[in-house]
Amino acid sequence: MLSKKSQYAFKALAYLVEKRNDGPVLISEIAEHKKIPLKFLENILLELKKADILDSKKGKGGGYFLKENPENVKLAKIIRLVNGPIAMLPCVSLNFYEKCEDCNEDHCGLHDVLIEVRDVSLRILESKTLMDLID
């Protein structure tokens, strides 16, 4: 399940994509229009800024804006950044792999099925960008 944090990140990013030609956008404007708690949003936007997806401008006319072209930002990147692994189990994760303590991956039907789920999910999330979030 997509975390609330990821959902808020996608809502905020979609809003910034829609406003990309209007200059920097205040956090309070994003929070109000997308119904995101302000303190939560501040932390999310700071993470996205540290990852070079967003940038900000201080002072009059300041706010957040997209640093990267939204057509180049894959949804998988945002999920991994904000939420962590895309895979449903650590033993099938590509970037956050951990061996299960009580499982033999060579003979685990759940492992095999969830690899397929991961691959299909990744195929979609790696083909979709921030531009796909707007109408």
Side-chain angles (χ1 to χ4, degrees):
M1 185 180 295
L2 201 58
S3 70
K4 200 62 142 170
K5 184 177 180 183
S6 293
Q7 292 175 46
Y8 288 156
F10 283 128
K11 285 181 178 186
L13 287 165
Y15 190 75
L16 289 170
V17 170
E18 290 171 348
K19 299 287 186 178
R20 68 189 177 280
N21 298 321
D22 299 344
V25 180
L26 294 173
I27 295 176
S28 58
E29 179 183 335
I30 301 168
E32 181 181 328
H33 280 85
K34 292 299 179 178
K35 310 279 189 271
I36 303 171
L38 188 61
K39 287 291 183 191
F40 204 6
L41 182 58
E42 287 174 352
N43 291 329
I44 292 167
L45 296 181
L46 190 58
E47 276 186 55
L48 294 170
K49 182 179 177 183
K50 287 179 183 175
D52 284 331
I53 293 165
L54 298 179
D55 206 349
S56 64
K57 179 182 172 194
K58 295 182 190 262
K60 186 174 169 93
Y64 278 90
F65 56 94
L66 291 163
K67 187 172 182 178
E68 280 196 51
N69 182 332
E71 293 174 349
N72 297 333
V73 181
K74 306 291 185 193
L75 299 186
K77 179 178 182 176
I78 303 301
I79 291 175
R80 286 184 178 122
L81 179 70
V82 175
N83 203 57
I86 292 171
M88 296 174 78
L89 283 177
C91 66
V92 299
S93 180
L94 296 174
N95 295 314
F96 300 89
Y97 174 84
E98 287 182 30
K99 183 167 176 39
C100 294
E101 291 178 24
D102 58 348
C103 183
N104 178 353
E105 293 171 12
D106 295 332
H107 303 296
C108 178
L110 182 60
H111 172 87
D112 297 343
V113 168
L114 290 181
I115 282 178
E116 289 182 54
V117 171
R118 176 205 67 201
D119 290 347
V120 170
S121 297
L122 275 177
R123 193 173 319 118
I124 295 166
L125 293 169
E126 289 289 353
S127 71
K128 300 294 181 181
T129 69
L130 293 180
M131 288 301 290
D132 292 303
L133 296 179
I134 62 172
D135 297 328

